[in-house]
């Protein structure tokens, strides 16, 4: 999303522009605080939800050069590729399992162990660890009677370059896997 759209959403949601938040945090010497402390400072301000406090904290850390886009507060990188599909939770999970059945590697990186599946009332999960130390987590959530949200997260990547390599791979591979499984 372009920065101007992001800053517009911040202004609408919090009543202050991104630059105004940067000025506030700088005046509060938040550059000397850790991530949870910055988020707590933001949450103490009127109109700032937990979600916006986290989002603003990340933007401020990026602004200071303490974090790169896609990097979490532990220094690891992660990406997410999302798709809304027609269908139901269990049906979509079954189709995903068929799509990845027998696959032993992604982008020439071997699986470390067999993938695991779990579920809650509202979610279905597929998890897989790779030998490079990264991890895949597929979340499936029912969004409407006939629509599911599918989100593939690739976590514990070590560099921004690795993140971009995997982002490029998943933007092509995820739709291909889904189409091969007959997912619409």
């Amino acid at each position: 999303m372009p920065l101007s759209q992001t800053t517009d959403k911040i202004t609408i949601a919090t009543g202050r522009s991104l630059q105004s938040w940067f000025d506030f945090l700088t005046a509060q010497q938040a550059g000397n605080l850790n991530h949870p402390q910055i988020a707590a400072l933001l949450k103490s301000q009127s109109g700032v939800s937990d979600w916006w406090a986290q989002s603003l904290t990340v933007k401020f850390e990026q602004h200071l050069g303490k974090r790169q886009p896609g990097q979490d507060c532990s220094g690891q990188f992660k990406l997410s590729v999302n798709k809304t599909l027609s269908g139901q939770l269990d049906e979509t999970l079954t189709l995903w399992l068929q799509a990845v059945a027998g696959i032993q590697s992604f982008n020439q990186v071997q699986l470390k162990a067999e993938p695991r599946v779990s579920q809650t009332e509202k979610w279905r999960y597929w998890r897989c660890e790779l030998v490079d130390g990264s991890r895949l987590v597929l979340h499936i959530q029912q969004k409407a009677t006939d629509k599911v949200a599918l989100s593939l997260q690739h976590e514990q990547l070590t560099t921004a370059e690795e993140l971009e390599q995997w982002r490029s791979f998943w933007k092509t591979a995820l739709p291909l896997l889904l189409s091969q499984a007959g997912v619409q």
Side-chain angles (χ1 to χ4, degrees), residues 58-175:
V58 169
K59 295 278 185 220
F60 185 64
E61 289 170 335
Q62 290 172 347
H63 173 72
L64 295 177
K66 290 183 172 184
R67 182 191 294 216
Q68 296 176 42
Q71 189 175 34
D72 64 23
C73 59
S74 73
Q76 298 285 308
F77 291 83
K78 68 179 177 180
L79 65 91
S80 181
V81 181
N82 305 296
K83 190 149 180 70
T84 300
L85 308 165
S86 297
Q88 304 295 313
L89 284 172
D90 292 326
E91 167 193 24
T92 302
L93 177 61
T94 297
L95 289 170
W96 173 258
L97 293 174
Q98 290 170 357
V100 297
I103 291 178
Q104 295 300 308
S105 67
F106 291 103
N107 202 19
Q108 301 178 353
V109 178
Q110 295 290 315
L111 278 60
K112 185 176 180 178
E114 285 296 314
R116 301 173 314 283
V117 175
S118 61
Q119 67 183 44
T120 67
E121 182 180 331
K122 296 181 180 185
W123 294 86
R124 302 297 180 264
Y125 302 98
W126 175 90
R127 294 176 175 88
C128 179
E129 295 177 6
L130 302 179
V131 296
D132 67 357
S134 67
R135 172 175 68 198
L136 303 172
V137 181
L138 181 82
H139 302 94
I140 305 169
Q141 178 188 24
Q142 198 75 45
K143 295 302 276 182
T145 305
D146 62 342
K147 298 283 183 195
V148 293
L150 184 139
S151 176
L152 179 69
Q153 295 181 349
H154 198 141
E155 304 171 339
Q156 297 180 332
L157 300 168
T158 56
T159 66
E161 293 78 18
E162 189 178 17
L163 175 124
E164 290 309 318
Q165 175 192 25
W166 279 107
R167 184 185 316 279
S168 176
F169 172 79
W170 285 118
K171 283 190 175 189
T172 302
L174 183 62

